[in-house]
Amino acid sequence: IKKNFIRLLIFKKKNMQAQQQQQRPMTEQEQRIIQQYKQLEEQYYQLITKLGDVESDHIDYVNVYNTVKDLDDNHKCYRVINQVLVEKTVGVVKPDLKLEISEIEEKKEKLDVDVQNKLKELTAFKEKHNLRFRGESNKPKQSQKKEKQGQQGVL
């Protein structure tokens, strides 16, 4: 098993070296374009992460609100404000929770729009500079759509 594994590693290494020799070196402009694309991609992933965090916060606030909404307004509850546990009543906390939920929903909608815009920007940049990645076909989208339409209805 070790011999086969070593042979496989040697074969992969030789294959990679052959591929590297066949590829021409990238120009400075190509390197800048790739760097710009990576920056756009990183910004896109950061927005998606922020959106996930905001959605998580929204779920948490909605769960808390659903828990306290049916309680008596004079019922004691506790809330953490600036890392300090404060005693309040449900009547005081409910409006605060509603306000917080609406603010989070607005933030979530704005981030969703930002994510969609960044995705469009990323796609436009990719098409403008004709970037393709390994595994992607070289065919334009129009011909791919026509192929898919022609394949519909076949069992």
Side-chain angles (χ1 to χ4, degrees), residues 92-115:
V92 172
V93 172
K94 274 189 213 179
D96 292 344
L97 286 172
K98 283 184 182 180
L99 179 65
E100 195 71 34
I101 288 171
S102 66
E103 289 174 358
I104 289 174
E105 287 172 347
E106 289 174 12
K107 188 186 285 188
K108 193 166 95 167
E109 289 173 7
K110 183 187 179 306
L111 277 171
D112 193 37
V113 169
D114 290 347
V115 165

Side-chain angles (χ1 to χ4, degrees), residues 61 78-87:
Y61 274 92
Y78 297 91
R79 184 169 187 196
V80 176
I81 300 174
N82 295 330
Q83 298 179 346
V84 177
L85 190 64
V86 180
E87 182 179 326

Side-chain angles (χ1 to χ4, degrees), residues 127 130 132 136-148:
E127 289 175 2
N130 196 24
R132 290 184 310 273
E136 288 184 358
S137 78
N138 295 335
K139 298 178 184 177
K141 290 183 179 182
Q142 294 294 338
S143 64
Q144 289 177 351
K145 287 180 182 178
K146 289 178 183 177
E147 285 179 11
K148 286 181 182 179

Side-chain angles (χ1 to χ4, degrees), residues 36-54 111 114-123 126 133 136:
Q36 288 173 339
Y37 181 81
K38 286 181 180 180
Q39 288 173 349
L40 286 173
E41 196 175 43
E42 180 64 29
Q43 292 168 0
Y44 173 71
Y45 290 129
Q46 287 173 352
L47 285 172
I48 288 176
T49 302
K50 284 181 188 176
L51 182 61
D53 293 343
V54 169
L111 277 171
D114 290 347
V115 165
Q116 296 303 321
N117 289 340
K118 188 57 74 173
L119 181 60
K120 288 177 186 176
E121 183 181 351
L122 199 59
T123 304
K126 187 176 172 183
F133 300 99
E136 288 184 358

Side-chain angles (χ1 to χ4, degrees), residues 8-21:
L8 179 63
L9 287 177
I10 293 171
F11 175 75
K12 283 186 177 182
K13 187 174 181 180
K14 287 181 182 179
N15 204 5
M16 287 177 60
Q17 289 172 347
Q19 285 178 352
Q20 289 174 351
Q21 290 173 356

